[in-house]
Amino acid sequence: MANLSSILFASLFGAAAITASAAESNMSTYCVPHQVTPNEQYEIFEGWVHEFYLEREIPKAFHTYVMADFIQHNVYEPPYGALPSETYLHKLFGNSSIGIEILHQGFDGGIGWVHWRLDNAYPRPAAIADIFRFNESCIQEHWDVIQELPADATNPIALF
Ligand SMILES: *[C@@H]1O[C@H](CO)[C@@H](O)[C@H](O)[C@H]1NC(C)=O
Ligand SMILES: *[C@@H]1O[C@H](CO)[C@@H](O)[C@H](O)[C@H]1NC(C)=O
Ligand SMILES: *[C@@H]1O[C@H](CO)[C@@H](O)[C@H](O)[C@H]1NC(C)=O
């Protein structure tokens, strides 16, 4: 899986190389944090999930919910800045044959998570957990955990 996915993601990333300074020059067009209550933060997270995973309006979702100095921990995505991740993910999820199905989601203490099924990006379906850290009204940081269904899975109900 490491080889296949690094080929897939490296080829997508190749076309999406954008410098951090380009993103910095456009800071105010991304989310600028203002103080919110925990309940408002939860509603903002729900908005992000709707816009990103369901509507798949990737640039709009990034400009509305993500800070310009976003920190990205996905091992194949560019590390800093909203624009590089936005460009990368727009290219990936703009393809309507890539399947996204949300399985579970939750929010607590400024951290939101989404457990979902990804189809047609890898040879077999993959289970993904995305974890988002909020800074007040905005998403500041993202981690993910990804497992493609292995060909030799012994559990008949894996992964879903
Ligand atoms: C700047 O922000 C606009 C949206 O407000 C976006 O369309 C554009 O691509 C951004 N440009 C750069 C260089 O960040
Ligand atoms: C969209 O994704 C499918 C499935 O992975 C792939 O076969 C196709 O080449 C992709 N299309 C584009 C334009 O990237
Ligand atoms: C929230 O964002 C502000 C403005 O960029 C920054 O100064 C602050 O350190 C951030 N706080 C956290 C907890 O990330």
Side-chain angles (χ1 to χ4, degrees), residues 95 97-98 120:
N95 183 338
S97 57
I98 300 295
N120 304 326

mmCIF file of all heavy atoms in Angstrom, residues 95 97-98 120, ligand 2:
data_model
loop_
_atom_site.group_PDB
_atom_site.id
_atom_site.type_symbol
_atom_site.label_atom_id
_atom_site.label_comp_id
_atom_site.label_asym_id
_atom_site.label_seq_id
_atom_site.Cartn_x
_atom_site.Cartn_y
_atom_site.Cartn_z
ATOM 1 N N ASN A 95 -12.876 14.983 -8.717
ATOM 2 C CA ASN A 95 -13.159 13.832 -9.577
ATOM 3 C C ASN A 95 -14.369 13.080 -9.002
ATOM 4 O O ASN A 95 -14.282 12.477 -7.933
ATOM 5 C CB ASN A 95 -11.903 12.937 -9.600
ATOM 6 C CG ASN A 95 -12.066 11.754 -10.522
ATOM 7 O OD1 ASN A 95 -13.185 11.349 -10.842
ATOM 8 N ND2 ASN A 95 -10.941 11.186 -10.930
ATOM 9 N N SER A 97 -15.743 10.372 -9.700
ATOM 10 C CA SER A 97 -15.705 8.916 -9.528
ATOM 11 C C SER A 97 -15.026 8.507 -8.212
ATOM 12 O O SER A 97 -15.016 7.332 -7.854
ATOM 13 C CB SER A 97 -15.068 8.230 -10.736
ATOM 14 O OG SER A 97 -13.799 8.730 -10.962
ATOM 15 N N ILE A 98 -14.466 9.482 -7.504
ATOM 16 C CA ILE A 98 -13.919 9.196 -6.173
ATOM 17 C C ILE A 98 -15.082 9.227 -5.178
ATOM 18 O O ILE A 98 -15.785 10.232 -5.077
ATOM 19 C CB ILE A 98 -12.849 10.253 -5.781
ATOM 20 C CG1 ILE A 98 -11.686 10.256 -6.787
ATOM 21 C CG2 ILE A 98 -12.363 10.033 -4.356
ATOM 22 C CD1 ILE A 98 -10.866 8.996 -6.848
ATOM 23 N N ASN A 120 -12.381 4.175 -4.841
ATOM 24 C CA ASN A 120 -11.803 4.459 -6.173
ATOM 25 C C ASN A 120 -10.557 5.345 -6.181
ATOM 26 O O ASN A 120 -10.129 5.775 -7.240
ATOM 27 C CB ASN A 120 -12.853 5.044 -7.128
ATOM 28 C CG ASN A 120 -14.055 4.134 -7.263
ATOM 29 O OD1 ASN A 120 -13.909 2.909 -7.222
ATOM 30 N ND2 ASN A 120 -15.237 4.708 -7.376
HETATM 31 C C1 LIG B 2 -10.906 9.999 -11.701
HETATM 32 O O1 LIG B 2 -10.752 8.866 -10.878
HETATM 33 C C2 LIG B 2 -10.814 7.648 -11.587
HETATM 34 C C3 LIG B 2 -10.801 6.526 -10.566
HETATM 35 O O2 LIG B 2 -9.657 6.561 -9.753
HETATM 36 C C4 LIG B 2 -9.653 7.586 -12.563
HETATM 37 O O3 LIG B 2 -9.734 6.388 -13.308
HETATM 38 C C5 LIG B 2 -9.711 8.789 -13.492
HETATM 39 O O4 LIG B 2 -8.568 8.799 -14.317
HETATM 40 C C6 LIG B 2 -9.780 10.071 -12.721
HETATM 41 N N1 LIG B 2 -9.986 11.200 -13.612
HETATM 42 C C7 LIG B 2 -9.206 12.275 -13.592
HETATM 43 C C8 LIG B 2 -9.581 13.351 -14.549
HETATM 44 O O5 LIG B 2 -8.249 12.393 -12.824
#
